[in-house]
Amino acid sequence: MALPFFISHITPLPFFYFLLLYSSASASASPPTAVTDLNLTSILSSFQNLTSFSSLLSSTSVASDLTRRQDPITLLAVPNPYLSLPPSSDLTRRLPPTSLGDVLRYHILLQYFSWTDLLKIPPSGVLVTTLLQTTGRAPANFGAVNITRNPLTNAITIQSPAPYSDSNATVLSLIKTLPYNITILAVNSLLVPYDFNLMASESRPPPGLNITKALIDGHNFNVAAALLSASGVVDEFEADEGGAGITLFVPTDEAFSDLPGNVRLQSLPADKKSVVLKFHVLHSYYPLGSLESIVNPVQPTLATEDNGAGSFTLNISRFNGSVAIDTGIVQASVTQTVFDQNPVSIFGVSKVLLPREIFGKDSPGVIPKPGNSALGTSVQTPELSPSPEKSAWLSSPASSPEGLKSEGPRFRAQCCVVALYCIVLYLVV
């Protein structure tokens, strides 16, 4: 005898919620797609009012420079009507292609800004590195721009960080955005870096980089600069600029101030402190785009060369549009480009990179919290993972890779519960 089954009118509803949860999870688990070929002239070609600016990029070496890079950027493009007015028109007519190329590099911000990001900029402003700063041809930090927002009108102004610079531009509109990769903004004038020799040739080879000076010019790396100078390892780093080059990950001043109280970095012996500093350096030149697409995520450091293969390594990967660095006990991210010109690249990072060989559990780099030793409890590894609450406002809305891994099983379990609930309803109703 056949048993009739009746499908309740409420049964499809749980199925609908289940499918909705599954689809939203799949979307959130997929990282943003990276731009593999950054062809700005091709993107700009679809906008008739940016043809002149696109031609300038093509006539200099800037367009080809960008094709080789895969970093998130924000382009400040000047529309045709504004480019034909002084002082922009004067610059485009009288400057040789080499100098004009550096002026255009000053309009490429090495940071992705959505329109929402721009509206969150504090009135005091934010300093942003440009492609010009990475060439080493801009004195001090004059290769960066200061972006400010008027809190009453939300007008966005961009100018040199120099206090008396007369070159500035106002953002007119958002032209195009490819989330986490490219934003193109229209501005009303070409920007000229303060105290910049417009007639200098971009083919001029840069002098040997003074790493300490480059960090001091960055204005947010004073603690790191002092440590490098006092330890003497900076001389070794500069000697390694030849050959394969070097890549430095330099913690910001805030990263040092955020160190837990049980991490005694300053109290380490000189040789251990030197190892920690070398742990922040790769013995190869990597621009940001290469770090994001690195084939082997486990990278040896200069500390590895001194202590043996397999020790003092960094795990480097791309996560949610930025470069993530995992030491085994610390998860940090690259926050800015300080300097990038072959054979040297310097990147600011959000955390001090503590090697587990020195700062892991029961290691000499940490001290017990008050009361722990009296109770005979073991020293726990310091909790140093970045949290969204402590991240800068401009950071991508992302947690650490470990957080992503821990949330996956929990969500799958929830989905299974919902699926079982739907099956039971189908059978008994």
Side-chain angles (χ1 to χ4, degrees), residues 47 50 74-75 112-116 118 171-178 182-187:
F47 300 97
L50 295 176
T74 297
L75 174 68
Y112 169 81
F113 284 89
S114 67
W115 190 255
T116 302
L118 291 173
V171 174
L172 300 171
S173 63
L174 173 67
I175 299 295
K176 186 178 182 63
T177 181
L178 301 176
I182 303 173
T183 292
I184 301 176
L185 301 172
V187 296

Side-chain angles (χ1 to χ4, degrees), residues 107-293:
H107 292 71
I108 300 168
L109 314 184
L110 300 185
Q111 204 160 336
Y112 169 81
F113 284 89
S114 67
W115 190 255
T116 302
D117 293 334
L118 291 173
L119 295 181
K120 290 180 181 179
I121 290 179
S124 58
V126 60
L127 195 67
V128 182
T129 304
T130 73
L131 188 60
L132 173 62
Q133 184 73 36
T134 68
T135 66
R137 291 190 290 273
N141 68 333
F142 294 155
V145 295
N146 189 41
I147 306 178
T148 57
R149 177 182 60 87
N150 187 317
L152 299 179
T153 63
N154 278 335
I156 307 296
T157 302
I158 304 171
Q159 60 185 22
S160 168
Y164 303 108
S165 174
D166 58 356
S167 179
N168 60 78
T170 300
V171 174
L172 300 171
S173 63
L174 173 67
I175 299 295
K176 186 178 182 63
T177 181
L178 301 176
Y180 302 106
N181 286 299
I182 303 173
T183 292
I184 301 176
L185 301 172
V187 296
N188 66 349
S189 177
L190 280 177
L191 291 162
V192 179
Y194 181 79
D195 196 27
F196 178 64
N197 182 4
L198 294 176
M199 303 309 292
S201 171
E202 67 181 33
S203 61
R204 180 185 62 209
L209 178 65
N210 185 321
I211 294 174
T212 304
K213 183 178 183 302
L215 294 178
I216 293 174
D217 290 342
H219 294 288
N220 195 26
F221 305 96
N222 296 307
V223 176
L227 282 173
L228 287 172
S229 180
S231 66
V233 296
V234 68
D235 296 331
E236 181 178 340
F237 296 170
E238 291 174 354
D240 286 334
E241 291 178 12
I246 57 172
T247 299
L248 288 83
F249 301 111
V250 185
T252 61
D253 292 340
E254 290 81 3
F256 282 101
S257 65
D258 288 342
L259 281 173
N262 63 331
V263 173
R264 49 181 190 182
L265 181 60
Q266 294 287 358
S267 301
L268 288 175
D271 59 335
K272 294 289 185 183
K273 193 180 297 184
S274 174
V275 169
V276 174
L277 294 175
K278 292 180 179 181
F279 185 60
H280 288 70
V281 184
L282 306 182
H283 202 171
S284 291
Y285 164 71
Y286 288 102
L288 188 59
S290 297
L291 287 177
E292 292 175 332
S293 57

Side-chain angles (χ1 to χ4, degrees), residues 356-369:
R356 61 181 178 276
E357 290 86 349
I358 295 179
F359 295 94
K361 187 176 181 180
D362 298 328
S363 59
V366 293
I367 57 175
K369 294 182 179 179

Side-chain angles (χ1 to χ4, degrees), residues 255-385:
F256 282 101
S257 65
D258 288 342
L259 281 173
N262 63 331
V263 173
R264 49 181 190 182
L265 181 60
Q266 294 287 358
S267 301
L268 288 175
D271 59 335
K272 294 289 185 183
K273 193 180 297 184
S274 174
V275 169
V276 174
L277 294 175
K278 292 180 179 181
F279 185 60
H280 288 70
V281 184
L282 306 182
H283 202 171
S284 291
Y285 164 71
Y286 288 102
L288 188 59
S290 297
L291 287 177
E292 292 175 332
S293 57
I294 201 164
V295 176
N296 181 14
V298 179
Q299 288 291 312
T301 64
L302 287 186
T304 306
E305 298 178 7
D306 294 340
N307 294 273
S311 64
F312 295 93
T313 59
L314 295 174
N315 193 304
I316 302 174
S317 60
R318 178 182 171 91
F319 182 72
N320 270 20
S322 62
V323 175
I325 304 173
D326 192 342
T327 73
I329 58 174
V330 176
Q331 293 81 42
S333 59
V334 171
T335 59
Q336 69 181 92
T337 302
V338 181
F339 183 90
D340 180 5
Q341 188 173 8
N342 195 354
V344 181
S345 57
I346 305 176
F347 302 105
V349 292
S350 60
K351 295 286 181 180
V352 179
L353 305 180
L354 302 178
R356 61 181 178 276
E357 290 86 349
I358 295 179
F359 295 94
K361 187 176 181 180
D362 298 328
S363 59
V366 293
I367 57 175
K369 294 182 179 179
N372 281 358
S373 58
L375 296 175
T377 57
S378 61
V379 181
Q380 296 184 351
T381 300
E383 181 60 38
L384 294 167
S385 299

